[in-house]
């Protein structure tokens, strides 16, 4: 940059006018430099007053894209020892834009390796959310029996169609990989499911259905779910509709998932997850679920109660991994840790958004009905250090990462703070758990972000609370996942102080400081 300031010697100037021209060019370069210095000093002041930098808030043990924008997790599938995570990604900016599928792999869902972008937008549109399966029997003919193809099923969103006022701009396409997800080929006859004339027609989640012996696609269609069946992932026909008169309807239905689950006594039910934006319990985006039966064609819910997978503001568009081996047997979930109310505004600079902790979903019978529990996967323990017990308040050497305690009374307040004046509180009183992020750190990027979020625990017996804290999030698990609250925060320094206020002197908390290995 400074190279362009080399001043030509007078004897090299061919004419007065050239001299004047050069002087003018130099003047405008100087003005430009002064403006640049002014803005960069403002920028520096701004970031030094907030004490934040390009990499501030980068989570220690949650997945984030290396750079650029991320929203929903997509195509989560397990194959040959690797957990694949694809995700809604815009590499050219930290705000939402033309969607690609970013890609990462992990052997434990905790340590991730970034891989090149898997799917780029093409003439049919942006690559919106969807799923991936291993086509073990090569029903699609896109691989072989020896090398079954990994097939991604996703929504094409045609921005041109949307701009010109058409309503059929979302269709479903497929792509396949025969090299463990490293390179992808789009199917030449896309789209495989055209649009029947509905604006919101997206986010296919596909799995092999043993009962009807075919692939079943669960699709979000505006205010309901549609199920489609296929013998080969290429030809799809409609099976049934579910949901326009049941569940929460404060917003558009998105990113569904359908899977069977057994309780600890071996009794099996079907689970349907449905994300919705807006209309969640804390405003904006959230995910509800239904439990019932699926006969290969129709979903019949056990009841008409609305249930949420998470009562916090920041767990959206989550679905479960496909093709987890039977020898593992877990149903593994991960969500996008943000909310469309402010996702594009959060104060990170290098990237935007993280995923939730991966969670194991279990089916629990409560009286005569079933509910889901979501607990952190066991692999998380690998990154935890030694526990310390704190009775009142303490300052720890390292950022906190896990705070757990057994609840022995009906009211308490836990405060996590940094050496500045930034803190969050988790309090419990009269059966209500409140999470207060009004003083959590940077909050002024959105009017709705600084808030107290409440979760009614009146119908459960609260025995244990676990707070998983990372540099820009806290995930609260009640009774190892009976209820969950996921929240993002932006403290300018990590919290290293913990305080427990309670009446019972016997009630202690156990703290584990951050030790990502
Ligand atoms: C959910 C969602 C999906 C869509 C994607 C676009 O967050 O709106 O319905 O496929 O994001 O990025």
């Amino acid at each position: 940059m400074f190279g362009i300031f080399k001043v030509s010697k007078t004897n090299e100037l061919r004419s007065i006018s050239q001299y004047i021209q050069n002087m003018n060019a130099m003047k405008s370069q100087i003005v430009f430099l002064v403006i640049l210095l002014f803005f960069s000093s403002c920028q520096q002041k701004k970031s030094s007053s907030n004490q934040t930098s390009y990499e501030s808030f980068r989570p220690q043990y949650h997945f984030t894209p290396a750079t650029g924008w991320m929203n929903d997790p997509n195509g989560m599938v397990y194959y040959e020892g690797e957990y694949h995570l694809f995700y809604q990604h815009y590499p050219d900016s930290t705000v939402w834009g033309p969607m690609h599928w970013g890609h990462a792999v992990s052997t434990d869902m905790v340590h991730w390796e970034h891989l090149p972008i898997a799917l780029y937008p093409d003439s049919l549109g942006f690559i919106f959310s969807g799923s991936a399966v291993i086509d073990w029997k090569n029903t699609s003919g896109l691989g072989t029996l020896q090398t079954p193809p990994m097939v991604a099923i996703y929504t094409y969103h045609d921005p041109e169609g949307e701009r010109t006022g058409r309503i059929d701009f979302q269709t479903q396409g497929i792509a396949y990989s025969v090299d463990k997800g490293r390179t992808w080929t789009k199917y030449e006859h896309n789209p495989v499911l055209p649009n029947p004339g509905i604006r919101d027609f997206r986010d296919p989640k596909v799995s092999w259905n043993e009962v009807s012996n075919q692939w079943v696609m669960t699709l979000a269609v505006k205010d309901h779910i549609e199920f489609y069946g296929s013998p080969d992932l290429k030809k799809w026909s409609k099976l049934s509709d579910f949901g326009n008169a049941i569940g929460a309807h404060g917003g558009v239905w998105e990113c569904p998932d359908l899977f069977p689950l057994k309780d600890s006594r071996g009794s099996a039910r079907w689970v349907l997850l449905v994300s919705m934006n807006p209309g969640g319990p804390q405003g904006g985006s959230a995910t509800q679920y239904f439990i019932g039966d699926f006969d290969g064609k129709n979903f019949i819910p056990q009841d008409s109660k609305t249930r949420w997978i998470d009562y916090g503001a920041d767990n959206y568009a989550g679905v479960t991994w496909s093709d987890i081996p039977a020898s593992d047997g877990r149903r593994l979930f991960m969500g996008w840790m943000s909310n469309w109310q402010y996702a594009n505004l959060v104060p990170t600079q290098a990237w935007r958004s993280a995923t939730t902790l991966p969670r194991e979903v279990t089916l629990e019978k409560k009286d005569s009905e079933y509910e889901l529990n979501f607990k952190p996967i066991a692999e998380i323990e690998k990154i935890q250090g030694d526990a310390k017990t704190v009775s009142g308040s303490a300052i720890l050497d390292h950022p906190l990462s896990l705070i757990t305690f057994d609840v022995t009374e009906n009211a308490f307040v836990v405060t996590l703070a940094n050496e500045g004046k930034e803190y969050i509180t988790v309090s419990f009183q009269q059966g209500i758990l409140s999470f207060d992020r009004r003083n959590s750190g940077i909050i002024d990027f959105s009017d709705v972000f600084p808030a107290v979020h409440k979760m009614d625990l009146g119908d459960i017996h609260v025995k244990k609370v676990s707070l998983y804290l990372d540099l820009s999030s806290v995930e609260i698990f009640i009774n190892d996942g009976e209820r969950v609250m996921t929240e993002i925060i932006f403290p300018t320094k990590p919290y290293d102080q913990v305080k427990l206020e309670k009446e019972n002197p016997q009630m202690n908390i156990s703290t584990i400081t951050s030790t990502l290995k």
Side-chain angles (χ1 to χ4, degrees):
M1 150 128 223
F2 290 100
I4 59 172
F5 273 94
K6 269 194 245 146
V7 182
S8 327
K9 288 193 192 105
T10 336
N11 59 5
E12 284 168 12
L13 295 173
R14 297 241 171 89
S15 67
I16 300 281
S17 75
Q18 196 179 351
Y19 174 72
I20 291 170
Q21 246 179 21
N22 277 6
M23 283 308 283
N24 281 342
M26 209 170 90
K27 261 194 241 152
S28 57
Q29 282 170 352
I30 289 171
V31 170
F32 174 67
L33 186 71
V34 169
I35 293 173
L36 199 78
L37 286 174
F38 174 72
F39 277 114
S40 78
S41 84
C42 289
Q43 192 58 40
Q44 260 167 25
K45 266 192 218 130
K46 203 172 149 211
S47 36
S48 70
S49 72
N50 282 336
Q51 297 152 323
T52 64
S53 70
Y54 193 62
E55 281 295 320
S56 289
F57 314 117
R58 177 82 81 179
Q60 303 274 297
Y61 59 94
H62 288 80
F63 177 79
T64 47
T67 57
W69 167 267
M70 173 177 82
N71 56 294
D72 318 348
N74 294 150
M76 294 192 293
V77 63
Y78 179 87
Y79 186 55
E80 295 199 345
E82 290 177 326
Y83 296 90
H84 290 261
L85 166 64
F86 301 89
Y87 54 92
Q88 288 286 279
H89 184 40
Y90 183 32
D92 299 335
S93 168
T94 49
V95 294
W96 191 90
M99 284 294 112
H100 301 52
W101 272 27
H103 189 195
V105 287
S106 171
T107 53
D108 60 5
M109 292 170 284
V110 181
H111 302 83
W112 291 97
E113 179 195 342
H114 292 289
L115 292 179
I117 289 174
L119 298 174
Y120 285 80
D122 60 45
S123 62
L124 294 177
F126 302 162
I127 314 294
F128 269 21
S129 288
S131 48
V133 292
I134 306 303
D135 181 9
W136 294 106
K137 296 180 198 154
N138 193 30
T139 61
S140 61
L142 297 170
T144 60
L145 279 178
Q146 292 70 42
T147 311
M150 182 183 284
V151 181
I153 310 97
Y154 55 87
T155 297
Y156 270 119
H157 174 97
D158 173 12
E160 197 48 25
E162 184 181 28
R163 202 182 55 77
T164 53
R166 290 209 327 256
I167 53 168
D168 59 352
F169 52 83
Q170 294 189 341
T171 57
Q172 319 315 318
I174 63 175
Y176 60 97
S177 166
V178 287
D179 58 359
K180 300 172 82 182
R182 273 27 183 207
T183 60
W184 288 84
T185 308
K186 304 234 180 78
Y187 176 51
E188 55 180 337
H189 301 300
N190 277 335
V192 292
L193 180 57
N195 186 302
I198 307 173
R199 281 184 67 88
D200 299 293
F201 187 72
R202 59 177 177 269
D203 308 338
K205 181 72 162 62
V206 172
S207 59
W208 179 257
N209 188 275
E210 298 288 351
V211 186
S212 57
N213 208 31
Q214 64 179 337
W215 297 102
V216 168
M217 176 194 291
T218 307
L219 196 70
V221 184
K222 193 179 161 190
D223 59 354
H224 65 278
I225 296 299
E226 294 187 1
F227 297 106
Y228 289 80
S230 170
D232 58 5
L233 296 164
K234 295 167 172 172
K235 298 180 286 293
W236 293 93
S237 48
K238 190 164 163 189
L239 299 172
S240 66
D241 292 310
F242 167 78
N244 46 18
I246 196 170
H249 282 277
V252 176
W253 283 20
E254 302 182 313
C255 299
D257 194 359
L258 174 76
F259 53 88
L261 203 57
K262 285 189 179 146
D263 72 6
S264 54
R265 282 167 305 179
S267 181
R269 289 290 178 279
W270 283 81
V271 173
L272 179 63
L273 306 183
V274 178
S275 283
M276 184 183 73
N277 179 54
Q282 309 300 347
S285 348
T287 304
Q288 59 183 318
Y289 70 89
F290 303 90
I291 294 176
D293 280 317
F294 185 72
D295 61 6
K297 192 168 178 224
N298 292 288
F299 181 82
I300 315 289
Q302 63 178 3
D303 61 16
S304 57
K305 194 171 162 190
T306 298
R307 297 179 170 88
W308 302 97
I309 66 163
D310 195 307
Y311 288 82
D314 301 299
N315 180 358
Y316 193 58
V319 290
T320 63
W321 257 279
S322 298
D323 294 280
I324 296 295
S327 56
D328 178 321
R330 291 177 298 174
R331 182 52 65 169
L332 300 166
F333 166 97
M334 198 159 73
W336 171 44
M337 198 153 55
S338 197
N339 188 312
W340 280 118
Q341 288 186 308
Y342 41 71
N344 278 287
L345 305 171
V346 299
T348 54
Q349 292 175 44
W351 83 99
R352 269 216 177 85
S353 301
T355 58
T356 67
L357 278 181
R359 299 168 188 184
E360 181 182 350
V361 192
T362 58
L363 183 69
E364 311 288 334
K365 192 155 190 188
K366 287 268 206 88
D367 305 325
S368 59
E369 288 175 346
Y370 285 94
E371 286 194 351
L372 298 183
N373 281 16
F374 288 81
K375 66 173 177 195
I377 53 164
E379 286 87 336
I380 294 292
E381 285 163 24
K382 281 204 302 199
I383 58 163
Q384 290 166 358
D386 298 333
K388 282 187 190 156
T389 300
V390 174
S391 163
S393 59
I395 295 180
L396 300 153
D397 300 342
H398 301 288
L400 290 157
S401 69
L402 172 61
I403 300 96
T404 57
F405 49 97
D406 293 330
V407 177
T408 52
E409 61 184 82
N410 294 327
F412 61 81
V413 183
V414 176
T415 305
L416 304 178
N418 60 23
E419 67 192 38
K421 290 204 166 65
E422 299 168 348
Y423 61 90
I424 52 173
T425 60
V426 177
S427 52
F428 183 55
Q429 208 179 10
Q430 294 179 333
I432 306 282
L433 189 105
S434 304
F435 174 75
D436 186 347
R437 65 178 179 189
R438 289 174 301 177
N439 301 292
S440 52
I442 298 181
I443 51 162
D444 58 2
F445 52 89
S446 146
D447 288 348
V448 297
F449 185 83
V452 182
H453 293 150
K454 293 181 188 295
M455 161 163 73
D456 189 347
L457 300 177
D459 57 340
I460 67 172
H461 178 205
V462 179
K463 289 169 283 196
K464 182 180 174 195
V465 178
S466 316
L467 311 176
Y468 285 80
L469 184 71
D470 204 334
L471 298 184
S472 49
S473 61
V474 57
E475 291 160 274
I476 307 170
F477 293 88
I478 307 294
N479 299 344
D480 292 319
E482 197 169 347
R483 291 287 183 280
V484 188
M485 203 174 204
T486 300
E487 300 273 343
I488 54 173
I489 46 174
F490 299 94
T492 55
K493 286 204 174 124
Y495 300 144
D496 59 356
Q497 300 172 23
V498 57
K499 184 165 75 176
L500 172 66
E501 291 163 86
K502 31 80 201 202
E503 275 169 10
N504 182 352
Q506 303 304 317
M507 186 173 154
N508 294 326
I509 61 181
S510 153
T511 60
I512 293 180
T513 52
S514 183
T515 52
L516 185 64
K517 285 178 224 148

